Amino acid sequence: MAEPLKLAYGPAVPEQIAEQLCAVFPAFDKNAFLQTVLSGYESLELMARARQISRALKTHLPADFETALRILISSIGAPLDNQPSFGMAPFHYLPHVFFVGDYGSAEIQLLPQCMEAQYQLTQRFTAEFSMRAFLINFPNETLATLHCWTSDPNEHVRRLVSEGSRPRLPWAPRIRAFQQDPSPTLALLEKLKDDPSRYVQRSVANHLNDISKDNLDIFYHTLERWQNEAQCCTSQPRQWIIKHALRNALKRGDSQALSLSGLNPALLPTLIEPNISPSTVGMGENVNIACQLKNQHPTTLTLQIDLVVDYVKANHSLSRKVFKLKRVTMVPSTAINISKILSLRELTTRKHYPGQHPVGLQINGHYFPLGHFELKVTS
């Protein structure tokens, strides 16, 4: 089982932050700061640890927020390069982000300094969590700055425009106004829909997926329009965004998603020789799932094939999980083999329970049952 994220966010993090602050502000009381931070620190989860560091910064930096912010931002390291993933290292700046959002978002006169601070922080970590407070408290002024940032040369800044304004950003409060009316953020996405950075494209797609949960008609209308426009300008970034934004809708088998993806739910292959082995399996072991699909139609089939597993829950009910497998094209009178090894090891995101687990394929939104396996508790 993977270790909790908080273990990568131990006492060394506030120690390093204190050292950075002392380098630019010698009057900073490192020992008092660490004493405040580390009181009860071990019992806290990752986000709560970062919040505790942020509160300690407020206590031990100068009382004037603008002065404290200048010191804090002057202490940060160099920007990240154009690689968006650096493991846990950028989380070093999560307390800085909380500091800006928690203590700078109440007064509009602080907005310019806070937007500049977030501009700098997002090039080292991300400012998506702090940006929410400014969009909630000062939406028009904050959106005006985000519109300017859509053409910024730094992909981390452009990604913040989309990610920070998501209506349902994970680990963050929802922006209810944008759930009710997504038009302000759709105006931002319009400027990012052909962005060359995959990092930005992924955020735009995730933002659209957020919109689909509250405004499905607007979601599909936007994607249909973008797709029609993309066919004229052959925009590969936009096509990737559309495909990624539709992934959850395709797993649900939504007819509009299937149509946008060029999939026909009426033309399906024939399922041959499904096999699940072993039929009884122990915790932590693997299940081999296999079958053959044959195209018996006189036309070529385009198929989106997903694996469906109904996991047994603690209360003995079933919870469906759809795993994306592949998209294939089958000419008439051909067959393909489908196989998947399903791991039953424990994960931080999934706990397994004994019982009968049905398994099937979802092909262009249509469910094909394959059988089931029995999960046993091993001694």
Side-chain angles (χ1 to χ4, degrees), residues 6-7 30-31 68 70-71 115 123 130 155 175 183 205 210 225 230 235 258 261 287 291 297 299 314 354 356:
K6 72 174 186 178
L7 297 184
K30 174 181 175 179
N31 291 333
R70 281 197 299 271
I71 294 169
M115 293 302 287
Q123 297 179 61
S130 54
E155 67 174 358
I175 303 181
S183 59
D210 278 6
R225 179 170 55 79
S235 169
L258 292 168
S261 300
V287 176
C291 68
H297 298 277
T299 59
Q356 189 177 99

Side-chain angles (χ1 to χ4, degrees), residues 78-111:
L80 301 173
D81 61 23
N82 287 330
Q83 298 299 318
S85 178
F86 289 80
M88 284 291 294
F91 273 80
H92 176 88
Y93 296 110
L94 184 55
H96 303 60
V97 169
F98 284 154
F99 182 86
V100 175
D102 291 346
Y103 305 116
S105 61
E107 302 176 28
I108 195 166
Q109 64 264 31
L110 297 175
L111 183 62

Side-chain angles (χ1 to χ4, degrees), residues 256-300:
Q256 285 178 277
L258 292 168
S259 177
L260 274 167
S261 300
L263 302 172
N264 188 342
L267 291 175
L268 298 168
T270 301
L271 177 67
I272 301 173
E273 298 179 352
N275 181 60
I276 300 174
S277 63
S279 58
T280 301
V281 64
M283 295 284 186
E285 298 178 353
N286 295 333
V287 176
N288 297 297
I289 302 165
C291 68
Q292 188 178 79
L293 301 176
K294 187 173 183 178
N295 181 7
Q296 296 181 323
H297 298 277
T299 59
T300 297

Side-chain angles (χ1 to χ4, degrees), residues 1 5 24 30 32 57-58 60 78 111 114 153 160 180 214 244 271 324 332 341 349 351:
M1 185 179 295
L5 286 175
V24 298
K30 174 181 175 179
L57 289 170
K58 181 68 169 63
H60 296 283
L111 183 62
C114 289
L160 174 62
Q180 296 173 6
D214 300 298
H244 197 62
L271 177 67
K324 187 174 181 179
I341 298 175
T349 54
K351 182 174 176 59

